[in-house]
Amino acid sequence: MIISPQRNLLDLRLRELWHARDLILLFVRRDFVAIYKQTILGPLWYLIQPLLTTIVFTVVFGSIAKLPTGGLPPFLFYMSGTLIFAYFASTLSKTSDTFVGNANLFGKVYFPRLAVPVSILISNLIAFAIQFVFFLFFIGYSIFKGRNCT
């Protein structure tokens, strides 16, 4: 294997990244499992966190400030924004810290450096998918109760 410097900014070496997919999956598992492993409620935080944030937004912006939601139920309106923004903010903050947090790995062995940020992106996407299914449950409940969700 020949290791050469990057030629330009857009030289992402996706073929190398594809060959390191097993390493990416190990990083995804590490990131996904380690987040709430030592907590009392464990993985339930993936559901509790957006639920509590949505309840606070619904009370503050829906009940106190009386901001209009365009005919949508306020809970669904605020939950949809909370989920999307939480995914974006979490991915941005974790990937910005990835090279400092994993500096010990980068100095020991060669692997595609893009593997760590991609693994963070995927592990956050898994958490987003879990929360999105939770959101779909609330949409289904709202439709079942006869509230307009469109």
Side-chain angles (χ1 to χ4, degrees), residues 102-133:
N102 293 300
N104 58 348
L105 287 175
F106 295 138
K108 292 182 180 176
V109 67
Y110 176 78
F111 62 90
R113 300 304 187 236
L114 197 58
V116 180
V118 167
S119 70
I120 291 172
L121 182 92
I122 293 171
S123 65
N124 285 344
L125 194 61
I126 293 169
F128 175 75
I130 292 168
Q131 293 169 350
F132 189 73
V133 169

Side-chain angles (χ1 to χ4, degrees), residues 11 28-29 36 51 60 106 120 136 145 148:
D11 185 18
V28 166
R29 185 180 183 285
Y36 298 117
L51 183 65
V60 171
F106 295 138
I120 291 172
L136 291 177
K145 287 293 188 180
N148 185 14

Side-chain angles (χ1 to χ4, degrees), residues 43-97:
L44 281 177
W45 278 111
Y46 286 114
L47 304 177
I48 293 171
Q49 191 173 17
L51 183 65
L52 292 177
T53 306
T54 303
I55 289 170
V56 169
F57 280 8
T58 303
V59 168
V60 171
F61 297 122
S63 299
I64 297 172
K66 304 257 190 242
L67 295 177
T69 60
L72 293 172
F75 186 80
L76 294 178
F77 180 80
Y78 296 119
M79 188 174 215
S80 65
T82 300
L83 290 180
I84 292 170
F85 181 75
Y87 171 70
F88 171 75
S90 174
T91 302
L92 185 66
S93 67
K94 288 180 183 177
T95 53
S96 66
D97 293 336

Side-chain angles (χ1 to χ4, degrees), residues 71-73 76 138-143 147-150:
L72 293 172
L76 294 178
F138 281 112
I139 288 178
Y141 178 76
S142 183
I143 290 172
R147 296 188 183 107
N148 185 14
C149 293
T150 57

